[in-house]
Structure formats: C-alpha cells, structure tokens
Amino acid sequence: MNSYIKEVIDATAAKNPGQPEFMQTVTEVLTSLEPLVEKNEKLYRENAILERMVEPERQIMFRVPWTDDQGKPHVNRGYRIQFNSAIGPYKGGLRFQKDVNLSIIKFLGFEQVFKNSLTSLPMGGGKGGSDFDPVGKSDAEVMRFCQSFMTELYRHIGPNLDVPAGDMGVGGREIGYLFGQYKRIRNQYENGVLTGKGLSFGGSLIRPEATGYGATYFLTNVLSYLGKNIKGMTFAISGFGNVAWGATEKITELGGKVLTLSGPDGYVYIPNGIKKEEIPYMLEMQASHKNIVKMFADKFGYEFVPGKKPWGNVKADIYMPCARQNEILIEDAEATVKMGGVQILNEVSNMPTTNEAVAYLQQHGIIVCPSKAVNAGGVAVSGLEMSQNSERLAWSKEEVDEKLKGIMANIFKQIIDALQAAGIKENNFVQGANLAGFKKVADAMIAQGLV
Ligand code: GLU
C-alpha cells in the first residue's frame, strides 16, 4: 500500500477509537485511491489532502430533550457532521434510528462527500441524525422530538450553509415538522434550508422516488455497457421503505421481476415477481410505522421467511440491498457465490456490504456497483429541489425525471472515465466511483488553499 495512504489510515484509526463504520469507509475509499495518490503524492502531501479529507470541518453534538404522550421526559443525542464544503454547502440527510452513533453519522458524512461530488451538482457533504427511535411513536411525539431537535440545529444550518434532508426514519412527515420549527425560529421563509419537503411548500416532484429510480437508472447504464437488458431479469431487494419502494416500482415498470422484500423480521418471497398493483401497499406498511414486512406476506399470501435475509438464500440475477449498512457480510457473500446465479450487486443502501464481502464477490466475478454512485439519485434530486427553491419555481415531473436520468448516466460515465484514466481494465466500479468522486473534491480543496 502507498505509504501516504497507510500513514493517514493509521493516524485516523488512532485518533478515532471505537468508530468501526467510519474506519471501514475510510479504509475502503483511501486504499482504492492508490493510482491517483501515487501520481500526485507530492501535491497531495503538500496540501494535506488526505489528512483534511478524513477530518470533518465541524462536528456538532447536542442534547435533544422531549416529552412523550404520558408527559415522561426523554433525552436523545443529536448530531450534525459538516464534513466538507469544498464544492458547495454541506448537504446530506438526517437519520433517526435507535442505533445511530457518532461512527455511523461520520461514515455517512464521509461517503456523502464523494457521492455528492459524483452528482456534478454544487453540494458539499454532511450528515446528521439522532438515536431517537421512531418505531411505535405517535405523530405528536415525533413532532415534539423534531421541534426540539431543530431548536438546536437551526443555528448551524441555512440554504447557503448546510441543507439537511431525510434518511432512515426521516421522511416527509419529519421534514415538515422540522421546517415548521425552523421557519418559526428564524422568522424567514427560507425553504431552501431542507429538501424532501412536501409539494405545497417547495418540495420537488420525483424526490420521494428519486433514490430508487436513480438506482435503477444507474443499473440500466451498467447493463447496456455489459450488453444486457433489464427485461426479464430477477431481483432480490431488501427493505421495504422509501428506497426499496422506488426501486421496486421502476424495476417492475421496466420489465424486471422483484422476488423479495425484507424487514427486521425476515424476508418475503414472491416467486413470480411482485405485481404492479401490490407495490402501493409498501407505502401503507411504512405509514403504519410498525417496521415489519410480514404484513406484505400476509396480505398477498406469499411465503414469509422469518429472521433471514435474502442474500445467499434467494437466487436472482441482481441483488439490490435497500435496507442498511453492513447487511451483506462475508458469510452471505460466500453463500451467494456457492449458490450461484447472481451477476451484479447493485448497492442502494449506504455501505450495505463489508469490505471483505465486496472483495470476495469481485474475486468471484460478481460486479459490484457501489452505493455512493447507485444511490446518488436521492441527493441529486435534493440538489434539483434547491435549484427550484432558489428560482422560486417548480419543475414538472418529466423535467425532473429527465434530469435525474442524465445525472445517473453521467455518474456511470465518470466511473468509466476514471478507470480509463487510471489504466484499470477490469470493471471495478467501486474503485472508479471513489477515484472520480474524490478527484473533484481534492482539486477544489487544493485551489482554495489550506483551509
Ligand atoms: N439521505 C440520502 C442520502 O444518503 C439523501 C440526502 C439528501 O437528499 O440530502 O444520500
């Protein structure tokens, strides 16, 4: 390994004990940058590029007190990591989930920097959230929590400073409550401060579908590059949330067959592929906030496999994890290879596969499309929402969808170009995405001096 890369990985590990997810992504990204770092080592060292890339510009942690419907007080922890603003204001979602911690928010923030760079839109990288567990909470409890969270967060964000959005546990309802409180405190109608808003107050058409649609558009680019077609291809999807829903809708529309959905409770097996008319039920399941996928199996009479994930258990041409980080472990990768039949892993959730599992799958001929590229459609349409808010205009569904398609095609092109520039012959899209996303941010940082 290049000595500069090794020094920075070691120093980052020493400085950030107890942050396994953050170290996982730092190690994955930095080691894949070898061709670029070898070529530019002197320049990068002089500008402390790698040292600055792994150190967030600002890290905010705060107390979030709120009362439940019985009047009992609770205290959660809020986070906002403003990772890198070299190419635009900090941009990235908020995750409300019970196991959120500093390591998880930092890993997400770090990945966001490169993902946002790949979209070609002027957005820096940031991420935030809380260990608040939305499962089983009433609307009123969620509202009080969001108001308390924003009462601290408002002073750190703004349309030209930092623009949060949704992520796991944060959807349209939460964004509405967060925006209402921001507007109240600031006494200004700055709707460009958050994205993923409702259509009546500055939201963009296609934003709810964008991550899943974008992931499917990215895949269609990969497939045509490989001389294949999505029609008739089978898919195993995990999750049933917003991202899984958008992907399922687009895949089905384009003639693919979605054989599975999953939840924390297990997975549903749909032997002939989900039917178009069954897809809207995913939204009802989400709105119930119960977080169980068995509801789908019960409703339509499909087999439910409790406590298991589809990986290595279900044969499909394409695997599309849409649930959470580290859901495909080495044992799942081994079972997948042993079972055979899987051609492509199209990662939709952020970092769904461990570094070891990615390497194993690649060694065994499975093409891995990295989440940084695949799921960038979500934040890309957030960027388009910011443009519409600045213009005080709303674009049509067709206009946003066309732009999204163009952005996803351009991301794939950047990956291919980066691999060519580095002289890499194999279809290592993981490396290509890191090289392309990183280079633009590094160039901007060098141009802006040591800040
Ligand atoms: N949370 C999403 C992501 O991981 C969307 C972020 C955004 O729209 O700002 O990219």
Side-chain angles (χ1 to χ4, degrees):
M1 195 195 296
N2 170 282
S3 62
Y4 180 32
I5 293 176
K6 187 171 180 330
E7 278 164 37
V8 174
I9 292 177
D10 291 347
T12 310
K15 227 179 188 175
N16 299 282
Q19 296 184 12
E21 292 86 0
F22 178 56
M23 283 316 300
Q24 182 179 334
T25 178
V26 166
T27 308
E28 188 262 305
V29 172
L30 263 50
T31 49
S32 75
L33 298 175
E34 186 120 16
L36 205 55
V37 175
E38 287 275 312
K39 220 196 260 171
N40 300 290
E41 184 162 344
K42 188 164 169 290
L43 180 69
Y44 286 177
R45 277 192 188 265
E46 279 166 7
N47 286 278
I49 281 297
L50 296 185
E51 295 87 335
R52 287 194 288 149
M53 204 64 89
V54 298
E55 185 67 26
E57 288 176 20
R58 193 175 295 116
Q59 309 189 47
I60 301 148
M61 284 167 67
F62 51 96
R63 177 207 292 160
V64 190
W66 58 282
T67 46
D68 65 23
D69 289 344
Q70 281 68 49
K72 186 169 172 269
H74 297 266
V75 177
N76 285 99
R77 183 174 287 175
Y79 300 87
R80 188 71 186 166
I81 305 295
Q82 299 179 329
F83 223 110
N84 193 305
S85 63
I87 61 171
Y90 309 108
K91 180 80 195 91
L94 298 170
R95 177 174 291 192
F96 292 172
Q97 211 220 350
K98 63 177 176 351
D99 31 72
V100 157
N101 57 36
L102 184 60
S103 173
I104 290 178
I105 300 297
K106 279 178 71 181
F107 117 64
L108 291 165
F110 186 72
E111 300 240 311
Q112 200 81 41
V113 174
F114 308 108
K115 181 197 309 194
N116 294 3
S117 161
L118 285 169
T119 66
S120 296
L121 300 173
M123 300 183 290
K127 200 86 185 194
S130 175
D131 58 357
F132 173 74
D133 182 5
V135 177
K137 300 290 188 297
S138 71
D139 280 355
E141 288 171 331
V142 170
M143 182 178 77
R144 285 196 296 275
F145 176 81
C146 288
Q147 290 176 339
S148 181
F149 186 85
M150 187 52 89
T151 302
E152 173 58 34
L153 187 68
Y154 89 94
R155 69 190 81 242
H156 307 291
I157 61 175
N160 295 312
L161 168 60
D162 184 355
V163 183
D167 195 86
M168 283 162 68
V170 178
R173 172 182 65 165
E174 290 74 15
I175 293 294
Y177 294 148
L178 289 164
F179 178 64
Q181 185 72 351
Y182 178 84
K183 180 168 70 67
R184 185 186 196 191
I185 299 174
R186 290 276 297 131
N187 196 31
Q188 298 278 331
Y189 204 93
E190 296 175 333
N191 61 5
V193 69
L194 289 165
T195 61
K197 298 179 294 291
L199 289 178
S200 55
F201 53 102
S204 176
L205 287 162
I206 302 285
R207 178 62 191 92
E209 296 88 346
T211 310
Y213 279 21
T216 313
Y217 295 150
F218 183 86
L219 179 72
T220 59
N221 281 278
V222 174
L223 290 172
S224 67
Y225 178 80
L226 300 171
K228 298 182 180 191
N229 192 300
I230 193 167
K231 266 209 178 80
M233 285 214 153
T234 51
F235 290 75
I237 284 187
S238 64
F240 65 89
N242 192 50
V243 174
W245 163 73
T248 302
E249 207 180 73
K250 190 49 78 177
I251 290 166
T252 310
E253 185 192 314
L254 297 179
K257 289 189 175 131
V258 174
L259 305 185
T260 67
L261 298 174
S262 82
D265 51 331
Y267 74 88
V268 180
Y269 182 62
I270 310 158
N272 298 317
I274 199 166
K275 295 192 194 81
K276 192 168 175 263
E277 57 276 18
E278 293 166 349
I279 300 173
Y281 187 64
M282 292 169 78
L283 297 175
E284 279 181 49
M285 286 156 63
Q286 288 166 37
S288 78
H289 297 287
K290 290 191 183 129
N291 206 16
I292 47 174
V293 78
K294 188 173 177 294
M295 287 170 78
F296 193 93
D298 293 346
K299 169 100 182 164
F300 299 110
Y302 292 124
E303 181 191 353
F304 175 66
V305 183
K308 289 225 162 93
K309 303 179 276 189
W311 325 127
N313 291 313
V314 175
K315 208 178 242 194
D317 300 311
I318 319 263
Y319 272 8
M320 270 180 61
C322 298
R324 50 172 297 154
Q325 70 273 3
N326 291 334
E327 46 173 308
I328 304 182
L329 310 175
I330 184 67
E331 51 270 30
D332 303 313
E334 284 165 356
T336 300
V337 168
K338 199 165 161 216
M339 181 188 69
V342 178
Q343 305 172 36
I344 297 175
L345 167 61
N346 201 42
E347 296 185 332
V348 194
S349 41
N350 291 306
M351 202 170 74
T353 322
T354 62
N355 296 349
E356 203 186 357
V358 169
Y360 186 85
L361 293 171
Q362 287 177 327
Q363 277 153 22
H364 290 82
I366 295 175
I367 291 182
V368 181
C369 304
S371 54
K372 273 181 218 84
V374 175
N375 75 24
V379 75
V381 175
S382 277
L384 302 179
E385 183 172 331
M386 290 164 73
S387 303
Q388 294 170 74
N389 295 154
S390 297
E391 284 190 334
R392 296 176 191 260
L393 289 173
W395 303 342
S396 70
K397 202 170 169 175
E398 291 72 27
E399 197 172 347
V400 179
D401 200 27
E402 273 315 302
K403 285 195 162 74
L404 173 61
K405 276 186 199 157
I407 289 169
M408 300 315 296
N410 182 259
I411 293 175
F412 186 62
K413 185 177 177 303
Q414 290 177 68
I415 293 175
I416 298 300
D417 290 349
L419 288 174
Q420 260 164 19
I424 297 161
K425 295 215 168 43
E426 58 273 25
N427 290 327
N428 190 340
F429 301 147
V430 178
Q431 187 166 23
N434 288 341
L435 288 166
F438 171 87
K439 185 163 185 311
K440 181 175 170 193
V441 179
D443 290 349
M445 288 169 77
I446 293 168
Q448 292 169 23
L450 193 67
V451 291

